Amino acid sequence: MAWKTFTPPSKGERLSYDNGALVVPDQPIIPFILGDGIGVDVTPVMKEVLDAAVAKAYGGERSLVWVEVFAGDRAMAQFGEYLPQETLDAFTYYSIGIKGPLSTPIGGGIRSLNVAIRQKLDLYANVRPLHYIPGLPSPVKHPEHMKMILFREATEDVYAGIEWAAGSEGARKLVDFLVQEMGVTAIEAEDRATVGFGIKPISERKTKRLVRKAIEHALKRKLDSVTLVHKGNIMKFTEGAFKSWGYELAEEEFGDRTVSESALWDEYDGQPPAGTVVIKDRIADNMLQQLLTRTDEYSVLALPNLNGDYISDAAAAQVGGLGIAHGANMGDTVAVFEAVHGTAPKYAGQDKVNPTALILSGVMMLEHLGWDEAADLVRNGVAGAIQAGRVTYDLARQTEGATEVKASEFGQAIIEQMG
Ligand code: NAP
């Protein structure tokens, strides 16, 4: 393949799929986006830490072959566009990518580069693990009770962008249609000229592919439950359907390896048969309470887009907040890993911010490759560095007795603590 915006490495191979199963060479090529703002501070540290872990775990038999691809300000400066098609093609061609944060261009047609990447590559599952690392500041008494992973649907729901502003022609037409043809009475006459609309599509196919990913993960990692989080008591045909399709999918495709919560009590006296995952559901407002009160009863959550947005941030606050929050955007054959935080422009280039979020996204990438030994080394390193109390400013200011270190020094501390 001929590329114009980057030079492919002379060594390494790309990932491939054999009958749906990921095939990982010993030297996989990993396209990365450096990122805007603090991307220059955190991305090099993440690469260094991952390289050190892979070298330590596999003694030179395996290595990551990095290739920089471009998006954001660097792409604009070099190629005159924020998101070159080649960058998307590279993620597709190599089936993987990791990215630093990207600033949202002001003006112009792009709402957000991150959203554009997810939509264009159909990365429909936004995956966020939430585990507590001892030593991190937390507002709750038992942050260690949280060991969860969230699968948030990322392509539909109110984020689909089907909206009309109050007073627009679209809103007027919709009011007429709803009132005159559908017999809707909920929009009173005095509000009809000043009502805005957003439409919330939730489909069977997109729900099922998301729930499938969540259940596959639970089975692979031997986790005990998948919880469908919905507001189906109010939004019956969108959120309620999400719940029903989730149970249906579990029954259709994983019938012998899953058991619904109701069957668990009706048929198994509360004890799930060995090797099965319990499928349960919770209403979203109740789930926000359960996060705090019964944290350890949940391991995998599957959520529609908006619930996922609220609940993932609420949960992240319990276990360390933005400097730690990490995730992946996953499709069927492409996965792009990223930190949750943005470009924090006021700190750009100061070697100051916390690189942990992107490093933990890198851990997810290593696990995706099946390189769990290297992933564990990084996890140990992060835990050791935090416990040693030599941390970046964000953690230092909340932790008594901690010493503030630079982003790069924190990376070195992680490497030293890996063993
Ligand atoms: P932000 O960049 O996440 O920063 C907000 C604040 O969070 C920072 O001022 C800092 O807090 C803290 N923070 C963020 N990253 C940190 C880190 N690695 N270590 C320690 N503290 C960290 O959010 P924003 O200011 O709303 O957004 C800035 C730009 O980023 C926007 O253009 C936005 O569109 C974009 N964005 C991109 C992504 C992405 O690429 N995935 C995600 C979100 C936002 P203190 O000032 O309190 O220290």
Side-chain angles (χ1 to χ4, degrees), residues 38 42 99-105 114 118 322-323 338-347 353-357 392-394 397:
I38 54 169
V42 294
K99 57 173 283 293
L102 294 171
S103 47
T104 300
N114 302 299
R118 285 179 209 147
L322 261 193
E338 66 173 351
V340 170
H341 64 70
T343 58
K346 67 182 174 188
Y347 298 121
V353 293
N354 193 343
T356 306
T392 45
Y393 83 98
D394 54 318
R397 71 185 170 190

Side-chain angles (χ1 to χ4, degrees), residues 9-10 35 51 58 71 93 133 166 179 189 203 260 265 299 323 378 408:
S10 53
D51 283 342
Y58 308 114
Y93 183 74
I133 304 172
V179 172
S203 66
S260 70
W265 292 102
S299 51
V378 181
S408 55

Side-chain angles (χ1 to χ4, degrees), residues 253-270:
E253 296 187 13
F254 304 95
D256 54 342
R257 285 168 293 163
T258 59
V259 55
S260 70
E261 196 176 31
S262 55
L264 178 68
W265 292 102
D266 294 348
E267 296 167 31
Y268 301 102
D269 209 17

Side-chain angles (χ1 to χ4, degrees), residues 42 46 81 124 130 232 239 257 272 325 347 379 382:
V42 294
M46 175 276 297
E81 51 183 330
Y124 58 82
L130 294 147
E239 303 258 335
R257 285 168 293 163
Y347 298 121
R379 247 191 254 288
V382 170

Side-chain angles (χ1 to χ4, degrees), residues 117-141:
I117 291 172
R118 285 179 209 147
Q119 284 177 346
K120 290 188 174 168
L121 297 178
D122 199 19
L123 304 175
Y124 58 82
N126 180 246
V127 184
R128 282 219 219 164
L130 294 147
H131 292 185
Y132 181 65
I133 304 172
L136 284 178
S138 166
V140 298
K141 282 190 190 145

Side-chain angles (χ1 to χ4, degrees), residues 62-391:
R62 290 176 175 173
S63 60
L64 301 166
V65 180
W66 302 99
V67 56
E68 183 175 359
V69 296
F70 295 88
D73 296 343
R74 281 161 76 82
M76 191 62 187
Q78 289 191 51
F79 309 111
E81 51 183 330
Y82 283 109
L83 185 56
Q85 180 60 38
E86 271 208 351
T87 297
L88 297 167
D89 293 344
F91 285 157
T92 306
Y93 183 74
Y94 293 108
S95 293
I96 198 162
I98 186 163
K99 57 173 283 293
L102 294 171
S103 47
T104 300
I106 313 259
I110 299 183
R111 263 202 302 178
S112 148
L113 294 175
N114 302 299
V115 174
I117 291 172
R118 285 179 209 147
Q119 284 177 346
K120 290 188 174 168
L121 297 178
D122 199 19
L123 304 175
Y124 58 82
N126 180 246
V127 184
R128 282 219 219 164
L130 294 147
H131 292 185
Y132 181 65
I133 304 172
L136 284 178
S138 166
V140 298
K141 282 190 190 145
H142 288 292
E144 72 283 2
H145 287 183
M146 186 172 282
K147 291 189 184 77
M148 278 188 340
I149 181 161
L150 272 54
F151 285 74
R152 167 187 169 196
E153 206 289 327
T155 63
E156 53 180 2
D157 201 342
V158 287
Y159 294 73
I162 313 173
E163 290 188 300
W164 292 276
S168 66
E169 192 194 341
R172 275 199 304 275
K173 279 187 182 164
L174 198 54
V175 168
D176 289 347
F177 173 72
L178 291 172
V179 172
Q180 288 160 21
E181 300 202 25
M182 303 297 285
V184 168
T185 54
I187 309 166
E188 289 168 37
E190 65 193 280
D191 299 321
R192 286 181 193 157
T194 57
V195 62
F197 289 99
I199 288 190
K200 177 182 177 77
I202 291 198
S203 66
E204 179 176 353
R205 178 179 72 90
K206 290 185 170 179
T207 296
K208 286 189 169 176
R209 67 181 182 173
L210 185 271
V211 176
R212 182 180 297 117
K213 260 210 176 350
I215 296 177
E216 281 171 352
H217 181 86
L219 287 166
K220 187 171 164 200
R221 295 280 167 185
K222 300 190 171 24
L223 302 172
D224 51 20
S225 67
V226 172
T227 305
L228 308 162
V229 184
H230 61 91
K231 189 75 188 154
N233 52 333
I234 303 296
M235 293 171 271
K236 297 188 190 324
F237 307 124
T238 50
E239 303 258 335
F242 180 90
K243 174 186 83 166
S244 308
W245 287 323
Y247 279 118
E248 203 173 283
L249 181 277
E251 175 74 37
E252 284 165 358
E253 296 187 13
F254 304 95
D256 54 342
R257 285 168 293 163
T258 59
V259 55
S260 70
E261 196 176 31
S262 55
L264 178 68
W265 292 102
D266 294 348
E267 296 167 31
Y268 301 102
D269 209 17
Q271 286 305 314
T276 59
V277 172
V278 177
I279 310 295
K280 46 191 180 183
D281 73 276
R282 294 291 179 270
I283 291 178
D285 36 344
N286 178 26
M287 190 66 229
L288 282 161
Q289 290 192 55
Q290 304 267 314
L291 280 180
L292 289 161
T293 55
R294 308 179 75 141
T295 321
D296 52 4
E297 292 180 15
Y298 299 92
S299 51
V300 181
L301 305 189
L303 316 98
N305 211 337
L306 183 61
N307 297 339
D309 201 354
Y310 294 152
I311 289 176
S312 56
D313 274 22
Q318 284 178 230
V319 291
L322 261 193
I324 305 295
H326 53 286
N329 300 297
M330 312 199 70
D332 286 328
T333 55
V334 187
V336 178
F337 300 84
E338 66 173 351
V340 170
H341 64 70
T343 58
K346 67 182 174 188
Y347 298 121
Q350 295 178 27
D351 194 12
K352 181 178 173 78
V353 293
N354 193 343
T356 306
L358 191 60
I359 290 171
L360 292 176
S361 310
V363 168
M364 293 178 76
M365 185 174 84
L366 293 173
E367 286 173 345
H368 179 68
L369 298 177
W371 294 9
D372 286 10
E373 302 79 4
D376 288 344
L377 284 176
V378 181
R379 247 191 254 288
N380 292 343
V382 170
I386 289 172
Q387 272 159 47
R390 296 180 63 237
V391 291

